[in-house]
Amino acid sequence: MTTPADHAGSGPRIPEAVHRRRWAILGVLMLSLLIVVLDNSILNVAIKTISTPAPTGLGATQSELEWAINAYTLVFAGLLFTAGLVGDRVGRKKVLLGGLVVFGIGSALAAESGSPGQLIAFRALMALGAAFVMPATLAVLMNVFEREEQPKAIGIWAGGVGLAIAIGPITGGLLLDHFWWGSVFLINVPIVILALGLMVWLVPDSRDPRPGRLDPVGVVLSVVGLVLLVYGIIKGGELADFTDPKVLATIIAGVVVLAAFILFEKRSDHPSLDVTYFKNKVFSAAMAAIALVFFALMGVTFFSVFYTQSVRGYSPLQSGLLMIPLAAAQMIFAPRARLVVDRFGYRATTTAGLALLAGMLAAFAAFDADTPIWLLEVVFFLMGAGMAHIMTPTSVVIMQALPREKAGSASALSNTFRQVGGALGIAVLGSVLSTAYRNSIEGKLGMLPANLRDTAGESIEATLGVAAKLGPRGQALVDPANDAFLHAMHVTALCGAVVALLGAVVTAVFLPGRPQQPPRQGGGEEQELVAAMD
């Protein structure tokens, strides 16, 4: 919204009509955010069903499941830069509406997928729509709330992520108990229709008076680089051999293309990724914290579904209900995290959150097939509490570190690092899981014909699928499969814990202490957040 700057430096910048309905607008923005986050959290409980052979599922392999998730996150992350700029240029409301329509169409098509390849393609289409929804929600929020209310609004917005994490697995479990697997995507369509109606009615349009130019070369380089890197990592895990020439070549090619992307952006006069933002150490540390949190969390979420459903024998609905403590903690603590920041500061709050998350990830290394389930619930609750005290403070730091007019770009950067971190988490930790599992189970597959050994060693679901086809003879594979998975889960969880601890070190060194009162505004420019910190 192109409101004039404060003439006196302290007057309100938001029109009164918009100010009066700001909380209703926040509700609509959270509904739009809900469907984007809901999709991934629903998919998490459905991945075991989708991996089951037809007609129950699609018979997707573990690597295809990883791509079903990462096709979404990579396209989403690769387009967020451009989506933020398009919203700044043509108007955030228009971008929100268009993104929701594309997301709804992609959801309907994904529900009717006839193969893992089709599902991957339609998930990418959904991501195209989602990429234009996510940054616009936070950008609109920054333009309907005054600066002093922004931390509270962002806390509630972040709590919406927790709500989606709660609703997603439960909704997915209920749908899978009564309908076919595609229903977990079809459920998005009525939510999209409701969000479109409310948005047309309530949400004002806004744009950057000085928007940047689009950067198609940068977008292509970033997407190609990320896809090559992630493909190489996933392929290495599938083969349990990261020294394979094709794996190494793909990973190196991805790193080279991403390096070319950064060099191109540094020299461009209209970069989609403005690398000058990262000269601010506070901004950079907050971005790193977000990426590392989602790296650890997405990888753990991926393996926890197989732990609860394949090893422990819970249904999709029961598995979804087990996730409630994680979501409840986020909903409880995310809106209140700003109060902790006011008392202890950004540095202490975020570092403690990351340390708690690391401890809970490490706790998975002690879980076995008969660990009391209430211990898993405690771990999930504390993980959610840790996340709430990371996401809210870092979101405030990032959004207030740039001028209000650049809210779309700041939101896009934040969500890009979140999605890239999550995609790499699934790829890297999924590959660690796959490699550790294959190495552990291979010695137990001697009873199988040669043509089945490679397939059975790919994942626990693949082993159990082969065992089911063999009938009574296959029962001898069930316990070794569970043992091999538990070993792989322990290794993967410890890797995730190390990543979270690395994030804690970064925030302890670079994030500021307690926030002070925001500086007086003048000429429509915002001071960098670091100037308002002690």
Side-chain angles (χ1 to χ4, degrees):
M1 182 174 353
T2 57
T3 55
D6 300 333
H7 297 296
S10 59
R13 299 180 55 178
I14 310 299
E16 181 59 30
V18 174
H19 182 73
R20 282 199 305 270
R21 65 177 192 267
R22 65 196 186 282
W23 297 109
I25 292 169
L26 178 60
V28 179
L29 296 177
M30 288 179 64
L31 182 62
S32 304
L33 173 72
L34 183 72
I35 60 168
V36 174
V37 180
L38 186 74
D39 180 69
N40 268 338
S41 59
I42 280 184
L43 182 60
N44 284 334
V45 297
I47 54 178
K48 180 181 182 296
T49 304
I50 294 171
S51 70
T52 306
T56 303
L58 292 176
T61 65
Q62 181 161 313
S63 60
E64 286 171 335
L65 290 173
E66 290 177 37
W67 274 114
I69 298 171
N70 281 338
Y72 185 91
T73 53
L74 289 175
V75 172
F76 187 83
L79 292 177
L80 277 171
F81 297 131
T82 296
L85 287 170
V86 171
D88 289 344
R89 177 182 288 272
V90 305
R92 284 115 187 192
K93 181 175 181 177
K94 296 183 185 71
V95 162
L96 270 170
L97 292 171
L100 283 171
V101 169
V102 172
F103 185 87
I105 293 170
S107 297
L109 292 171
E112 298 299 328
S113 298
S115 68
Q118 288 183 9
L119 177 61
I120 291 167
F122 294 137
R123 288 274 296 162
L125 179 62
M126 293 170 66
L128 173 63
F132 287 86
V133 173
M134 179 73 91
T137 60
L138 199 48
V140 170
L141 182 154
M142 297 298 288
N143 279 272
V144 299
F145 284 91
E146 295 291 351
R147 186 176 176 89
E148 61 271 15
E149 281 191 320
Q150 287 172 6
K152 181 179 180 181
I154 290 173
I156 295 172
W157 180 88
V161 176
L163 181 64
I165 291 174
I167 293 174
I170 298 169
T171 305
L174 283 169
L175 290 170
L176 291 171
D177 270 7
H178 296 91
F179 304 100
W180 92 115
W181 65 265
S183 60
V184 301
F185 298 110
L186 198 61
I187 190 65
N188 292 331
V189 176
I191 304 175
V192 165
I193 293 170
L194 176 61
L196 286 170
L198 291 172
M199 195 169 295
V200 169
W201 177 35
L202 285 171
V203 176
D205 207 356
S206 63
R207 67 184 72 196
D208 186 347
R210 296 183 297 277
R213 288 160 55 198
L214 301 183
D215 177 25
V217 175
V219 171
V220 171
L221 287 173
S222 64
V223 172
V224 170
L226 284 169
V227 169
L228 285 171
L229 178 62
V230 170
Y231 178 83
I233 294 169
I234 290 175
K235 193 66 178 176
E238 185 181 336
L239 298 174
D241 182 11
F242 285 88
T243 62
D244 182 89
K246 290 181 181 178
V247 171
L248 282 176
T250 308
I251 292 174
I252 291 169
V255 171
V256 169
V257 174
L258 289 174
F261 164 68
I262 293 170
L263 288 173
F264 180 82
E265 297 300 284
K266 286 180 71 174
R267 296 177 180 178
S268 174
D269 59 357
H270 58 285
S272 55
L273 172 62
D274 191 340
V275 294
T276 61
Y277 294 160
F278 293 91
K279 292 180 180 178
N280 180 342
K281 292 180 181 179
V282 171
F283 182 86
S284 298
M287 286 292 191
I290 282 179
L292 292 173
V293 164
F294 274 80
F295 180 100
L297 184 77
M298 291 297 286
V300 170
T301 303
F302 185 78
F303 72 63
S304 67
V305 172
F306 290 102
Y307 172 67
T308 55
Q309 293 186 34
S310 298
V311 177
R312 302 299 297 262
Y314 289 100
S315 70
L317 176 56
Q318 291 170 327
S319 183
L321 291 170
L322 290 173
M323 296 292 289
I324 287 178
L326 175 67
Q330 287 200 57
M331 287 188 288
I332 292 168
F333 294 111
R336 295 169 174 81
R338 63 190 175 85
L339 303 176
V340 182
V341 171
D342 289 341
R343 179 164 184 181
F344 298 105
Y346 289 97
R347 181 189 303 120
T349 303
T350 308
T351 302
L354 280 158
L356 179 60
L357 180 61
M360 294 307 100
L361 292 172
F364 272 93
F367 285 6
D368 55 33
D370 52 10
T371 298
I373 204 64
W374 65 266
L375 286 175
L376 178 66
E377 299 297 86
V378 171
V379 166
F380 276 151
F381 183 83
L382 293 175
M383 282 178 69
M387 278 196 68
H389 289 91
I390 302 162
M391 295 309 302
T392 299
T394 52
S395 295
V396 173
V397 167
I398 291 164
M399 296 306 295
Q400 292 190 348
L402 299 180
R404 185 196 297 257
E405 290 76 16
K406 300 297 180 185
S409 297
S411 175
L413 277 170
S414 171
N415 284 294
T416 296
F417 272 68
R418 183 181 306 177
Q419 294 298 323
V420 169
L424 289 175
I426 291 169
V428 174
L429 296 183
S431 293
V432 170
L433 183 73
S434 183
T435 301
Y437 180 82
R438 184 182 286 275
N439 290 338
S440 185
I441 195 68
E442 273 183 339
K444 309 294 192 335
L445 300 178
M447 61 174 285
L448 297 178
N451 63 323
L452 287 180
R453 286 178 202 159
D454 190 57
T455 301
E458 198 172 81
S459 68
I460 184 173
E461 279 306 301
T463 307
L464 295 177
V466 169
K469 289 179 181 177
L470 292 175
R473 284 194 309 127
Q475 284 300 306
L477 287 175
V478 174
D479 287 340
N482 287 340
D483 291 342
F485 178 82
L486 288 169
H487 167 72
M489 182 181 79
H490 296 162
V491 172
T492 307
L494 290 174
C495 290
V498 170
V499 170
L501 280 176
L502 178 62
V505 172
V506 170
T507 56
V509 173
F510 293 110
L511 280 195
R514 289 192 182 93
Q516 297 175 349
Q517 289 292 82
R520 293 169 67 88
Q521 301 169 5
E525 298 292 330
E526 306 278 4
Q527 300 283 343
E528 283 191 341
L529 181 68
V530 70
M533 305 285 187
D534 55 23

